[in-house]
Amino acid sequence: MLQMISLSIVTIPRPSERDYGSFYKWVDAKKPLCREETKFVKYKDDFIALAEKQEGGWFDGVLEDLLSIFPRCITRAILSSPSDRKKTDDEYVQLYSKRRVDILVRLVLTIVTVVLLMAPTAVLFLVPGRAAVKLVVIMVFTLLFSAALGVFTKAKRHEMFAATAA
């Protein structure tokens, strides 16, 4: 019985670096507790995640960070649902709809994919003659496409191979 409890405690997921950093910055900025009571924030290994990790990769986080460049009213209007907007009026907290962020990520990845697939066609059309140059162009863009799949998605090796071969 004790082993089962220990095992279930050990398997509780840890927060991501991004989630922990967000919480740490919020506590530092808002100072909701007195100084002595905030010491627990420095012990990162004591934190657990109450929700499962998102399926989205690091690109979702990078995109959310890039959105902080834009005025808050614009990002809130586009990426926050009405219910998200009602949850907080804190200037340090920005809640985005998971569905809307997913749509934006898919849109950006679709544009990148189309560019990586269409650019070699345009380059091959513009490059005169030499077959060796054309083969190099095809190889470079195939490698870029495969690298983009590996970096921007959580595709498995066989899925990347199938997509690149297609």
Side-chain angles (χ1 to χ4, degrees), residues 12-86:
I12 295 174
R14 299 278 177 227
S16 66
E17 289 289 330
R18 177 181 170 73
D19 292 340
Y20 172 75
S22 293
F23 178 70
Y24 188 91
K25 288 176 189 172
W26 181 80
V27 168
D28 189 49
K30 294 297 281 185
K31 302 195 183 347
L33 304 168
C34 66
R35 176 181 269 167
E36 290 78 31
E37 291 179 358
T38 60
K39 290 180 182 176
F40 76 94
V41 176
K42 294 182 177 147
Y43 301 106
K44 180 183 172 228
D45 292 336
D46 291 346
F47 283 83
I48 61 169
L50 297 178
E52 292 294 321
K53 291 194 180 215
Q54 297 177 5
E55 183 187 330
W58 64 270
F59 188 65
D60 297 42
V62 169
L63 194 62
E64 285 181 27
D65 289 342
L66 288 174
L67 290 172
S68 66
I69 296 169
F70 297 101
R72 187 170 187 229
C73 60
I74 293 172
T75 57
R76 276 180 59 111
I78 295 171
L79 296 176
S80 294
S81 67
S83 63
D84 290 330
R85 288 185 214 119
K86 290 178 186 174

Side-chain angles (χ1 to χ4, degrees), residues 3-166:
Q3 261 185 326
M4 295 297 283
I5 293 171
S6 296
L7 182 62
S8 66
I9 290 173
V10 170
T11 59
I12 295 174
R14 299 278 177 227
S16 66
E17 289 289 330
R18 177 181 170 73
D19 292 340
Y20 172 75
S22 293
F23 178 70
Y24 188 91
K25 288 176 189 172
W26 181 80
V27 168
D28 189 49
K30 294 297 281 185
K31 302 195 183 347
L33 304 168
C34 66
R35 176 181 269 167
E36 290 78 31
E37 291 179 358
T38 60
K39 290 180 182 176
F40 76 94
V41 176
K42 294 182 177 147
Y43 301 106
K44 180 183 172 228
D45 292 336
D46 291 346
F47 283 83
I48 61 169
L50 297 178
E52 292 294 321
K53 291 194 180 215
Q54 297 177 5
E55 183 187 330
W58 64 270
F59 188 65
D60 297 42
V62 169
L63 194 62
E64 285 181 27
D65 289 342
L66 288 174
L67 290 172
S68 66
I69 296 169
F70 297 101
R72 187 170 187 229
C73 60
I74 293 172
T75 57
R76 276 180 59 111
I78 295 171
L79 296 176
S80 294
S81 67
S83 63
D84 290 330
R85 288 185 214 119
K86 290 178 186 174
K87 290 179 184 174
T88 184
D89 57 354
D90 189 331
E91 66 181 293
Y92 295 106
V93 177
Q94 294 185 30
L95 299 175
Y96 298 137
S97 164
K98 172 88 172 99
R99 187 175 133 307
R100 292 181 182 199
V101 170
D102 284 344
I103 289 170
L104 181 63
V105 167
R106 288 178 191 264
L107 179 68
V108 170
L109 290 177
T110 301
I111 291 169
V112 168
T113 303
V114 168
V115 167
L116 285 174
L117 291 174
M118 295 305 295
T121 306
V123 170
L124 290 174
F125 182 74
L126 297 173
V127 172
R130 304 182 96 212
V133 173
K134 290 182 180 185
L135 283 174
V136 169
V137 168
I138 291 170
M139 260 196 311
V140 167
F141 278 98
T142 303
L143 287 170
L144 286 174
F145 179 74
S146 181
L149 277 178
V151 171
F152 293 131
T153 69
K154 290 187 174 183
K156 294 178 176 72
R157 289 182 190 137
H158 67 278
E159 294 168 336
M160 287 177 38
F161 178 75
T164 304

